[in-house]
């Protein structure tokens, strides 16, 4: 994706979803000290520091929310500090925890949470969220799962999305191919991509990120889950997708063999999205963050659910989090108050509409402001509805290494360097080496 500013952090979806450096950072988190200031000023106001990771539209939306919070809670001041974009947040927070001077709140990618939550300075938000103004069960399941570590809520959901397929209606019409409908299969997807491809005019049926990062990987997980696989095996010592992964990679190999897939060689998927926006790609698997760019490019588009092998609806969500840290009683209480307020439907929908997330809860989805946004954006409702069947990657400290191993497997298949079976054997060996390391 080249989103400009549609994800809240103002970065590519590669950085929203990257596996991160959670495992590598874990050792630095083990011996973290306490931050020194209690944050209470002479006027009695408590100041909390928020490392937000936002730029442009996301930062503007957050500033507006903070101003509204301050009016309602004049005894709490939120300092939007940090000075680092979200894709560098893990490194900065890790260093801050090691030095003993860390923020009260930080924007942490969901894939990094398990590693960060090993620090004793990360606040447990279980009571804050489960007994907060927004009923915990009204949050979408992906939002709940993404912040749950060993049965406890170690962060608050910050961003929610899902994957679907955006189709170029003009290219479908020109190729005489009917638009897909819900319930279509990956075999249908392959045939459609092949029919849309035209080497003479430089038109590709679809695209796939080809650098081996999380953007490469997360498109494969719904295929694996649909085939009965899991990311990590029940015993925790190996992958749970050795068989399903081969089948999923066979689909990837078939697309590559048909020469119907544009393989983006650069991080961030910017080139893949540019090809789609230029009218030279028939289908792209993407999330709601990409719709503004597609609309700006004046592409006549249709959004349809992901295909599957079974015909059952299934997609993936890649939530990110607001992770809170313990800087003493006064600051911790103020941080809990702010987190709880931020997640309420009114504030959540303002963030969703202005910065680019899907609603965190069914309560938020019912807000009139979201209904108006959805009604005015073609296809946005498909992404929201997909949350009903969305799953998330496991919140596990070894996930980054598993993701890296699978990313290498996907790329080797896309480029014809390995067969699906060979690629999966290498992935399984690398993943097992990571999973057997004591954590």
């Amino acid at each position: 994706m080249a989103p400009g500013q549609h994800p809240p952090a103002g970065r590519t979806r590669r950085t929203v979803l990257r596996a991160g450096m959670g495992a590598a950072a874990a050792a630095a988190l083990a011996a973290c000290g306490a931050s020194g200031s209690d944050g209470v000023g002479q006027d009695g106001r408590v100041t909390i520091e928020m490392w937000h990771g936002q730029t442009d539209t996301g930062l503007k939306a957050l500033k507006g929310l903070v101003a509204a919070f301050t009016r309602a809670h004049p005894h709490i001041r939120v300092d939007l500090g940090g000075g680092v974009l979200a894709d560098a947040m893990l490194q900065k927070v890790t260093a801050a925890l090691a030095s003993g001077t860390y923020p009260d709140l930080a924007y942490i990618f969901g894939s990094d949470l398990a590693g960060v939550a090993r620090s004793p300075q990360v606040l447990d938000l279980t009571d804050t969220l489960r007994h907060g103004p927004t009923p915990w069960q009204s949050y979408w399941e992906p939002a709940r799962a993404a912040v749950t570590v060993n049965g406890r809520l170690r962060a608050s959901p910050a961003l929610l999305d899902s994957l679907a397929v955006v189709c170029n209606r003009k290219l479908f019409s020109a190729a005489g191919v009917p638009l897909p409908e819900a319930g279509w299969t990956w075999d249908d997807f392959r045939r459609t991509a092949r029919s849309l491809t035209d080497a003479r005019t430089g038109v590709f049926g679809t695209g796939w990120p080809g650098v081996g990062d999380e953007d490469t990987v997360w498109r494969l997980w719904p295929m694996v889950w649909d085939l009965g696989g899991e990311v990590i095996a029940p015993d925790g010592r190996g992958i749970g997708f050795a068989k399903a992964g081969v089948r999923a990679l066979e689909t990837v190999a078939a697309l590559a063999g048909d020469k119907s897939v544009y393989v983006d060689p650069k991080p961030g998927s910017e080139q893949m999205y540019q090809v789609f926006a230029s009218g030279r790609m028939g289908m792209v698997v993407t999330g709601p963050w990409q719709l503004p760019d597609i609309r700006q490019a004046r592409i006549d588009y249709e959004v349809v659910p992901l295909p599957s092998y079974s015909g059952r609806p299934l997609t993936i969500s890649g939530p990110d989090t607001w992770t809170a840290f313990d800087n003493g009683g006064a600051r911790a209480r103020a941080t809990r108050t702010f987190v709880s307020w931020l997640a309420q439907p009114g504030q959540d929908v303002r963030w969703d509409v202005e910065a680019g997330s899907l609603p965190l809860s069914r309560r938020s989805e019912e807000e009139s402001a979201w209904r108006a946004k959805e009604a005015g954006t073609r296809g946005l409702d498909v992404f929201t509805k997909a949350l009903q069947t969305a799953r998330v990657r496991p919140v596990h400290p070894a996930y980054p290494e598993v993701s890296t191993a699978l990313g290498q497997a996907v790329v080797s298949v896309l480029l014809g360097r390995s067969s699906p079976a060979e690629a999966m054997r290498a992935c399984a060996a690398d993943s097992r080496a990571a999973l057997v390391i004591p954590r």
Side-chain angles (χ1 to χ4, degrees), residues 17 142 160-163 218 315-319 387 390-393:
L17 295 165
L160 196 60
D161 56 19
S162 63
L163 278 184
W218 85 309
T315 190
I316 186 170
S317 180
L387 292 173
R391 293 187 57 180
V392 298
R393 299 151 296 174

Side-chain angles (χ1 to χ4, degrees), residues 165-181 184 188-189 191-197 203-206 276 279 281-284 299-304:
V165 181
V166 181
C167 303
N168 183 317
R169 294 171 60 94
K170 181 179 178 181
L171 290 180
F172 270 78
S173 177
V177 177
L179 286 166
E181 298 180 353
W184 64 321
D188 296 331
F189 183 91
R191 285 191 293 268
T192 302
R194 188 169 53 201
S195 297
L196 292 168
T197 300
V203 171
F204 291 89
T206 190
F276 185 84
M281 184 180 293
M283 303 180 294
V284 65
I299 297 295
D300 182 15
Y301 70 92
E302 191 78 19
V303 181
V304 297

Side-chain angles (χ1 to χ4, degrees), residues 317-333:
S317 180
D320 293 328
T321 77
W322 295 118
T323 301
F325 302 90
D326 188 358
N327 278 299
R331 289 172 67 173
R333 286 190 295 273

Side-chain angles (χ1 to χ4, degrees), residues 54-322:
Q54 314 300 305
T55 63
D56 302 329
T57 304
L59 180 55
K60 181 180 178 181
L62 191 55
K63 285 181 176 179
L65 285 166
V66 166
F69 175 79
T70 301
R71 289 192 295 269
H73 303 80
H75 62 292
I76 300 175
R77 176 177 177 269
V78 180
D79 179 8
L80 295 175
V84 62
L85 294 180
D87 59 343
M89 189 66 72
L90 177 63
Q91 297 93 314
K92 186 173 178 68
V93 166
T94 300
L97 286 168
S99 70
T101 304
Y102 42 84
D104 300 281
L105 202 63
Y107 189 93
I108 300 293
F109 297 143
S111 52
D112 290 333
L113 179 61
V116 174
R118 297 185 67 191
S119 167
Q121 306 309 325
V122 173
L123 286 176
D124 187 324
L125 297 180
T126 303
D127 290 340
T128 302
L129 295 174
R130 286 187 176 163
H131 303 294
T134 304
W136 183 239
Q137 290 305 313
S138 78
Y139 285 80
W140 293 107
E141 170 58 25
R144 300 199 305 269
V147 298
T148 302
V149 182
N150 297 325
R152 307 298 293 178
L153 309 185
R154 304 310 307 275
S156 179
L159 174 144
L160 196 60
D161 56 19
S162 63
L163 278 184
V165 181
V166 181
C167 303
N168 183 317
R169 294 171 60 94
K170 181 179 178 181
L171 290 180
F172 270 78
S173 177
V177 177
L179 286 166
E181 298 180 353
W184 64 321
T185 68
W186 282 108
D187 284 340
D188 296 331
F189 183 91
R190 177 194 175 184
R191 285 191 293 268
T192 302
R194 188 169 53 201
S195 297
L196 292 168
T197 300
D198 188 340
R200 296 171 303 168
T201 58
V203 171
F204 291 89
T206 190
W208 202 294
V211 296
D213 59 7
E214 185 67 7
D215 210 17
T216 302
V217 167
W218 85 309
R219 288 164 168 79
L220 203 76
W221 290 132
M223 303 164 74
V224 166
W225 292 327
D226 187 43
L227 291 165
E230 296 293 339
V231 177
I232 296 172
D235 64 5
R237 299 182 63 82
I239 61 173
F241 58 95
K243 182 177 179 181
V246 172
R247 174 79 185 282
L249 287 176
E250 285 173 349
T251 298
V252 175
L255 291 168
D258 293 340
K259 301 187 184 304
S260 62
V261 59
Y262 173 82
V263 181
D264 193 335
K266 294 187 177 181
S269 305
E270 288 94 341
Q271 290 189 178
M272 181 179 75
Y273 289 123
Q274 287 168 4
V275 173
F276 185 84
S278 69
R280 294 186 295 113
M281 184 180 293
M283 303 180 294
V284 65
V285 177
T286 189
W289 67 81
Q290 200 62 30
L291 292 183
D293 279 355
I294 292 171
R295 287 156 60 93
Q296 185 176 2
R298 300 184 182 278
I299 297 295
D300 182 15
Y301 70 92
E302 191 78 19
V303 181
V304 297
L306 279 185
S308 69
Y309 296 99
S310 65
R312 299 186 301 268
L314 179 66
T315 190
I316 186 170
S317 180
D320 293 328
T321 77
W322 295 118

